[in-house]
Amino acid sequence: MRQVQRFDAGWLFHLGDVPSPLPNTHIAAYMNHKAGWAGGAARRNFDDSDWQSVHLPHDWSIEGPFDPANHMDAGFLPRGVGWYRRYFRLDESDRGRRVSIRFDGVATHSRVYVNGHLLHRHFSGYTPFTVDMTDVASFGPALNVVAVRVDATYMEGWWYEGAGIYRHVWLIRTEPLHIGEFGVFVRPALKQKDSGQVSQAAREVWETVVDTTICNDSFTPQAGRLRSTLLSPEGTEAGSVETPFEVAARCSVELSHSIQIQNPQRWSLEAPQLYRIRSEILHDGVVIDQELTTFGYRTFRFDPQDGFFLNEQPLKLLGTCNHQDHGGLGVALPDSIHEFRIRRLKEMGCNAYRCAHHPPASELLDACDRLGMLVMDENRTFGSSPEALEQLRTMVRRDRNHPCVILWSICNEEAIQTSPVSGAIARAMVHAVREAENQFRSSGQPRDPAQQATAFESRTGETARPVTAAVSGGILNDGCIGDALDVMSINYQLPLHDAFHAKRPRVPLIAAETHCVISTRGIWQTDLAAGRFACDDHHTHPWGQTARNTWRFVRERRFISGLFAWSGFDYRGEPAPGRWPITCSQLGMMDLCGFPKDLFYLHKAWWTQEPFVHLSPHWTWPGREGQEIRVLAYTNCEEVELWLNDRSLGRKPVDPIEMAVWQVIYEPGTLRACGFRAGGLVAESTFHTAGAATRLDLVVDPTFLRFQKASTLRRSTAEGDAPGSESVDDPIHCDIRDAVPLTVCARDGAGRIVPTAEPLITMHLSGPGRVLGIANGDPASLVPGNSRACPLFGGLAQVIVQGAGEPGRVLVSATAEGLQPAQCVIAFVPGIAPRGSFSSVPVEKRRFFLTEWRRSPVYHTRPDIHQTIADADMNTWEQMTIDGRQTPTWPSAGFAIYRTTFTVPKFLQASGGRLEFRQAPGILAVSLGGKELAIDRTGDTAVVRFGPSTQKQELSVLVYSAVPAGGFCGPVELLRIE
């Protein structure tokens, strides 16, 4: 049966390259590219005893240091080369099975070695890849070692991309006959819809088409049966079908069958109902492989006149564009932080997410499926080379079952988009998408772009998701990229939407990238010299428009299916105003940590219905008494009345675009806004002037708490509370795999948040957890993500704490000079998070074995143990690997010399150690560095001791054997002296 395990824990990391020694001798050159004899850090017995222990996902770049000499689009953070190594065992029962390692994302170029064999090269940081290690695996007691060289010197994009193995890694074991990778594709097809004659209820008949790729990695033909079972959102069986198959040796076959279902629960934004297909391979009546595939029943279409429809209902796409980095984490986001970010966007009213400009993590799409967020899934490399097309197909095959995905985007703002070359490349890429979505199974022919429909509908499995591209030039040109697209997506350039629609009224249209408003959270007066921009929707890049102008334009045009604003969150790279020490963009509706800016509340007023009022700015302005302050109420109410210290400053109607504004003479006290609909009070918002900060507060972010199943957080909001917000006896419960965002702020003596307080806070942690990252959203912050100290910015900072993978209580404390500390207790428990449960590959302790040997010819008389080997002799002295996997055979009884070279591991260089030969009864003599050593024997085990050394040494072992299977057959290990 298939076994999938998390492979994230227990990795060793080295920052910097570890080049292989130059092959400057004949034997070295001869062995330089021999299978299993990789050099340097890829070598099986390489000494990594001083490497850093890390847990994946891991981004080494975020750890700094910041330096103005580094690339500005990398956030002035370092890139370069790094190495990872991991040791693990495979059970003897795994022999004969297919063993592979899947990497979900490695930034940027990578090479993967297993047991000294170079098995894979990958050239994108955004698509997954799988390394089949079956043929080179060790089973039983022998250790396997995987080594990964990551080259992040160059960037694929022009934003912060991180560096390292920054997404999950999985160890996968299957039978040789198994379901292929991303090999199940579920195509729900709505075949019939009418009204019942008795109940008048709608009756829907769906055909659930299941395409399954079955692989046979064995060397003989195989036969079996494929069983697909439909599981409802509640987990009950809703139908099943079986199909027999035959597959030739070392080949694959694709099967297609279907299950009919009536009136399934639709996937929607409000109720994202998810079904699953359980796929099973039966061989001789026994289930030998099983996969679970999540999908949803929904229809959607893009209409060139009326916009987007989901489940036959019109829906304006209210989207944001987003890169993948966050706060102190860089791009190495735990699953719960992906979900946290999607939930934050939904709070703003966002219903669509553009993955800019690359395929996202699978866990982000999983969160969008669960929460009801539509997705434009975007490819990174525009090209029709085999490599580029395979990267595109990989994205589509991986993501094609997600009901949240409604668009494939093949590129963003290509420089050649104005030329016919772009059209030729785009046609090849669209064809590749159709291949990956099995669109040629029925007709056998690709779609003719000249026969483009008046509306792109995804109502059945015969018509899949439309293909688009984010285009910024040549939009009205003929013969270019636009001719190949199902949906045109325009970046900025609002007037061209009308021009394009007039020229091509049959092509659906999206405003794929808009806004580009520069603002800094907590800043209400622009300081260009400091790179701080007021949160007033005023400053934009030259190619952008204000949020108000953009929304006014898009909402008035029904034919525009929606927009994707740039951007949902601030992100590192593309710094505004583009100079040191500003390290990140300031274009988000939220900052790097997900703390809202004013733009968040402006869009919430446009995009949500539940009544709310938010006042801006805060009401703590010491030294500005008697001065006029502009106060703005963001709200979706019809009217707002503003009160200052219980005096009404007037009730105003709310402009649905501009909101409501007052000019208020500042005086300390209470500022309150009341929102009205149909004359009735429906919402309030209040600010109190804060005094001097006296204590810290540490709280679990409320957005995160909303998706915890067992929150027992007890808080008191009364003014004058004692310091420390959470009771040690009443913790917040989280899954052991979760990473929890904590907000740090300062309060005055009355318990009011002090928005101007910016003390340096230091984090302390005890228990089975770790601080993953710390940040404050300041675009000029130079605090590395792995720091434990950070100043508040605009009164806030964020600390992300993760469990250590085992149950336990973690006490988190925040301290600052002159302020009373705060505490929070997190109880990490198993089984709360909605994500799938997987066991982890056990972490093996690093051990040092000598495995690479040469063996002399067998002599009838005892030879000189110190004899030399001719440099050009590749034949009489046999190369061999001794790791306990097999017993070398001898041609006849006699004597032989085994020889290797090694450098004493770092942890033994100062003390010396011992060499332990197991299963080696025939050892007669051992020479190290030309000096024979005394041998201690215990049964078939021989032990020799050696002194301190840092030099490479030659080891020779003289062995006698009287049987065909001889020599030392077990592993040779370097150990401490007992």
Side-chain angles (χ1 to χ4, degrees):
M1 184 68 74
R2 178 181 298 260
Q3 185 177 8
V4 180
Q5 290 182 287
R6 292 181 179 271
F7 207 21
D8 290 343
W11 288 79
L12 301 174
F13 172 69
H14 172 80
L15 180 58
D17 204 0
V18 184
S20 300
L22 289 174
N24 52 8
T25 66
H26 179 74
I27 184 62
Y30 181 82
M31 296 301 299
N32 192 44
H33 291 293
K34 296 298 181 183
W37 290 75
R43 195 172 182 175
R44 192 171 183 179
N45 60 356
F46 178 80
D47 184 3
D48 53 21
S49 57
D50 59 348
W51 285 21
Q52 175 188 356
S53 177
V54 299
H55 190 288
L56 306 182
H58 178 243
D59 176 4
W60 82 67
S61 183
I62 195 64
E63 298 175 1
F66 291 89
D67 190 326
N70 292 330
H71 198 297
M72 61 182 291
D73 283 339
F76 297 107
L77 283 161
R79 293 188 62 75
V81 176
W83 279 87
Y84 295 83
R85 286 169 64 88
R86 171 62 148 91
Y87 298 89
F88 63 103
R89 295 184 190 276
L90 295 170
D91 293 338
E92 188 61 40
S93 61
D94 289 323
R95 192 182 299 275
R97 304 179 76 194
R98 178 181 181 269
V99 183
S100 59
I101 305 170
R102 187 175 75 225
F103 294 83
D104 283 350
V106 181
T108 303
H109 296 170
S110 56
R111 295 201 304 256
V112 180
Y113 303 80
V114 178
N115 294 337
H117 295 262
L118 174 59
L119 296 185
H120 192 84
R121 292 183 174 94
H122 197 69
F123 300 101
S124 173
Y126 298 111
T127 53
F129 61 93
T130 297
V131 179
D132 187 341
M133 60 167 287
T134 306
D135 294 339
V136 302
S138 296
F139 301 93
L143 285 177
N144 294 272
V145 57
V146 54
V148 184
R149 182 184 187 270
V150 182
D151 187 349
T153 304
Y154 299 98
M155 298 167 61
E156 290 185 81
W158 50 95
W159 55 85
Y160 179 81
E161 295 187 304
I165 308 178
Y166 74 98
R167 291 180 182 169
H168 292 303
V169 180
W170 309 89
L171 182 67
I172 304 171
R173 284 164 281 192
T174 67
E175 299 303 318
L177 184 64
H178 62 277
I179 298 167
E181 184 176 48
F182 311 131
V184 179
F185 181 26
V186 186
R187 298 183 288 148
L190 177 57
K191 292 301 184 183
Q192 180 182 345
K193 182 175 181 179
D194 56 31
S195 296
Q197 297 301 312
V198 178
S199 66
Q200 298 299 314
R203 179 176 180 270
E204 292 184 353
V205 177
W206 288 73
E207 203 74 34
T208 312
V209 182
V210 184
D211 300 334
T212 308
T213 301
I214 298 174
C215 299
N216 176 18
D217 286 350
S218 74
F219 291 91
T220 59
Q222 298 291 330
R225 299 184 67 84
L226 171 67
R227 181 166 63 205
S228 298
T229 303
L230 176 61
L231 303 175
S232 72
E234 296 76 27
T236 60
E237 293 190 8
S240 184
V241 63
E242 286 191 24
T243 301
F245 66 83
E246 294 181 357
V247 56
R250 309 292 285 182
C251 288
S252 63
V253 64
E254 186 170 286
L255 303 181
S256 184
H257 53 205
S258 64
I259 304 170
Q260 193 172 97
I261 183 174
Q262 293 187 13
N263 296 329
Q265 301 174 59
R266 292 277 190 110
W267 185 93
S268 67
L269 302 185
E270 300 76 22
Q273 299 292 342
L274 295 173
Y275 286 73
R276 291 181 297 169
I277 287 290
R278 183 175 63 217
S279 303
E280 297 170 302
I281 293 181
L282 292 86
H283 184 66
D284 293 334
V286 177
V287 176
I288 62 170
D289 195 17
Q290 177 179 291
E291 280 263 52
L292 285 174
T293 303
T294 302
F295 72 102
Y297 293 95
R298 85 283 187 266
T299 67
F300 70 86
R301 59 187 171 95
F302 287 88
D303 187 280
Q305 304 302 325
D306 297 322
F308 180 76
F309 290 75
L310 179 65
N311 294 323
E312 294 83 49
Q313 299 299 313
L315 178 71
K316 204 78 165 179
L317 296 175
L318 310 174
T320 60
C321 306
N322 297 280
H323 288 311
Q324 62 180 347
D325 64 311
H326 182 91
L329 303 176
V331 297
L333 271 62
D335 301 354
S336 59
I337 301 302
H338 285 299
E339 183 158 334
F340 167 73
R341 287 163 62 92
I342 297 300
R343 286 184 177 270
R344 188 73 103 199
L345 289 170
K346 284 183 69 69
E347 289 173 7
M348 187 176 66
C350 181
N351 63 23
Y353 185 104
R354 179 181 170 208
C355 306
H357 303 291
H358 54 77
S362 294
E363 290 74 24
L364 183 139
L365 296 181
D366 291 340
C368 291
D369 284 344
R370 290 193 302 270
L371 300 176
M373 176 75 76
L374 299 168
V375 174
M376 178 194 291
D377 203 349
E378 192 154 283
N379 174 62
R380 171 77 293 271
T381 301
F382 184 66
S384 55
S385 68
E387 173 68 26
L389 292 179
E390 186 54 31
Q391 296 292 344
L392 174 62
R393 292 189 195 99
T394 297
M395 177 189 81
V396 174
R397 285 194 296 260
R398 185 196 70 169
D399 300 344
R400 59 190 178 177
N401 289 303
H402 288 280
C404 65
V405 176
I406 57 170
L407 279 166
W408 304 119
S409 174
I410 59 175
C411 68
N412 174 75
E413 296 181 1
E414 289 297 324
I416 62 171
Q417 62 196 347
T418 61
S419 75
V421 173
S422 68
I425 294 174
R427 285 190 291 274
M429 298 182 76
V430 170
H431 187 275
V433 171
R434 302 290 182 239
E435 286 180 319
E437 275 209 317
N438 288 2
Q439 287 306 292
F440 305 147
R441 288 180 58 86
S442 297
S443 66
Q445 297 295 326
R447 181 183 64 84
D448 184 355
Q451 302 298 318
Q452 195 162 23
T454 59
F456 194 101
E457 300 186 23
S458 181
R459 289 186 172 179
T460 74
E462 301 304 321
T463 305
R465 299 169 181 87
V467 178
T468 189
V471 183
S472 59
I475 292 166
L476 302 179
N477 292 7
D478 293 326
C480 299
I481 189 172
D483 288 356
L485 304 177
D486 302 306
V487 175
M488 170 58 77
S489 295
I490 299 177
N491 285 7
Y492 308 106
Q493 306 182 72
L494 292 181
L496 282 182
H497 290 74
D498 289 336
F500 181 87
H501 182 61
K503 181 176 181 179
R504 299 184 179 180
R506 292 159 57 97
V507 180
L509 186 60
I510 293 176
E513 192 168 319
T514 64
H515 290 32
C516 244
V517 178
I518 311 172
S519 65
T520 311
R521 179 184 61 79
I523 300 298
W524 284 272
Q525 185 172 352
T526 297
D527 184 346
L528 291 176
R532 313 286 195 188
F533 295 85
C535 285
D536 56 6
D537 191 30
H538 176 73
H539 298 280
T540 69
H541 281 304
W543 56 87
Q545 290 274 357
T546 65
R548 289 177 171 88
N549 287 344
T550 300
W551 180 236
R552 185 180 290 110
F553 182 91
V554 171
R555 79 168 191 160
E556 292 173 352
R557 287 159 174 80
R558 192 171 61 183
F559 65 83
I560 299 180
S561 297
L563 62 80
F564 291 88
W566 193 273
S567 54
F569 299 84
D570 285 350
Y571 55 92
R572 289 182 176 79
E574 293 192 297
R579 60 176 177 266
W580 177 267
I582 302 300
T583 65
C584 71
S585 84
Q586 300 181 64
L587 304 174
M589 300 171 189
M590 290 171 274
D591 67 13
L592 277 168
C593 302
F595 294 133
K597 305 181 187 180
D598 278 22
L599 281 173
F600 177 98
Y601 298 104
L602 181 61
H603 286 80
K604 183 175 181 178
W606 295 338
W607 293 354
T608 66
Q609 294 299 316
E610 186 172 346
F612 85 99
V613 178
H614 175 79
L615 284 174
S616 177
H618 58 75
W619 206 240
T620 301
W621 297 98
R624 292 195 60 180
E625 289 79 3
Q627 299 180 25
E628 195 173 68
I629 293 178
R630 181 175 183 265
V631 175
L632 193 148
Y634 297 103
T635 182
N636 51 17
C637 296
E638 297 168 353
E639 295 179 300
V640 173
E641 186 172 8
L642 189 67
W643 298 75
L644 177 60
N645 292 329
D646 296 325
R647 301 191 311 273
S648 175
L649 303 182
R651 182 186 294 195
K652 292 189 176 185
V654 177
D655 184 288
I657 299 293
E658 300 294 336
M659 303 289 109
V661 182
W662 292 261
Q663 297 294 333
V664 181
I665 301 300
Y666 176 68
E667 61 182 65
T670 300
L671 189 70
R672 178 166 56 96
C674 299
F676 298 87
R677 285 183 182 172
L681 178 65
V682 292
E684 289 191 44
S685 177
T686 302
F687 277 138
H688 300 285
T689 303
T694 61
R695 65 180 177 89
L696 294 178
D697 199 3
L698 183 63
V699 298
V700 180
D701 192 286
T703 300
F704 180 84
L705 286 179
R706 290 189 183 101
F707 67 95
Q708 292 303 305
K709 292 183 178 180
S711 172
T712 58
L713 180 65
R714 182 179 68 215
R715 297 187 49 74
S716 173
T717 57
E719 296 184 355
D721 279 351
S725 303
E726 274 68 18
S727 166
V728 172
D729 296 322
D730 196 9
I732 174 69
H733 288 71
C734 298
D735 189 271
I736 57 175
R737 291 164 293 160
D738 276 341
V740 184
L742 305 176
T743 299
V744 189
C745 63
R747 294 184 183 269
D748 67 7
R752 297 179 288 250
I753 292 179
V754 184
T756 56
E758 297 188 343
L760 178 68
I761 57 110
T762 301
M763 303 305 302
H764 312 270
L765 185 146
S766 63
R770 56 190 177 129
V771 173
L772 278 189
I774 189 169
N776 58 16
D778 180 359
S781 173
L782 302 180
V783 176
N786 62 346
S787 175
R788 290 292 185 97
C790 178
L792 302 184
F793 175 71
L796 300 173
Q798 183 181 74
V799 179
I800 296 178
V801 175
Q802 187 176 46
E806 60 187 57
R809 293 157 63 92
V810 174
L811 174 64
V812 187
S813 304
T815 61
E817 185 176 356
L819 300 179
Q820 297 178 10
Q823 291 184 341
C824 177
V825 176
I826 305 171
F828 286 103
V829 298
I832 287 181
R835 294 162 291 280
S837 177
F838 298 93
S839 64
S840 294
V841 178
V843 177
E844 297 291 341
K845 182 180 179 181
R846 174 62 166 105
R847 298 168 68 182
F848 291 87
F849 296 94
L850 300 182
T851 59
E852 301 167 1
W853 294 81
R854 297 189 72 185
R855 188 185 67 187
S856 73
V858 175
Y859 301 97
H860 296 297
T861 59
R862 179 168 178 155
D864 179 5
I865 193 174
H866 300 115
Q867 65 176 275
T868 59
I869 307 173
D871 186 50
D873 186 355
M874 307 302 155
N875 296 286
T876 59
W877 282 71
E878 182 180 359
Q879 303 280 354
M880 59 176 51
T881 299
I882 299 177
D883 56 9
R885 289 192 292 179
Q886 64 180 23
T887 301
T889 57
W890 285 35
S892 61
F895 302 87
I897 303 167
Y898 287 76
R899 184 167 293 168
T900 190
T901 58
F902 71 98
T903 301
V904 175
K906 298 180 181 70
F907 78 105
L908 296 177
Q909 288 180 355
S911 62
R914 73 184 199 274
L915 272 167
E916 187 170 288
F917 299 83
R918 302 190 187 96
Q919 301 175 40
I923 290 182
L924 301 177
V926 177
S927 173
L928 183 62
K931 179 182 178 181
E932 290 198 26
L933 304 177
I935 303 173
D936 295 330
R937 300 179 187 276
T938 304
D940 286 348
T941 298
V943 175
V944 298
R945 288 172 171 77
F946 57 87
S949 174
T950 60
Q951 304 300 312
K952 178 179 285 189
Q953 300 186 68
E954 183 177 86
L955 174 67
S956 298
V957 182
L958 180 62
V959 177
Y960 176 80
S961 178
V963 295
F968 49 94
C969 307
V972 182
E973 187 172 5
L974 293 98
L975 299 163
R976 297 184 186 276
I977 297 175
E978 295 176 339

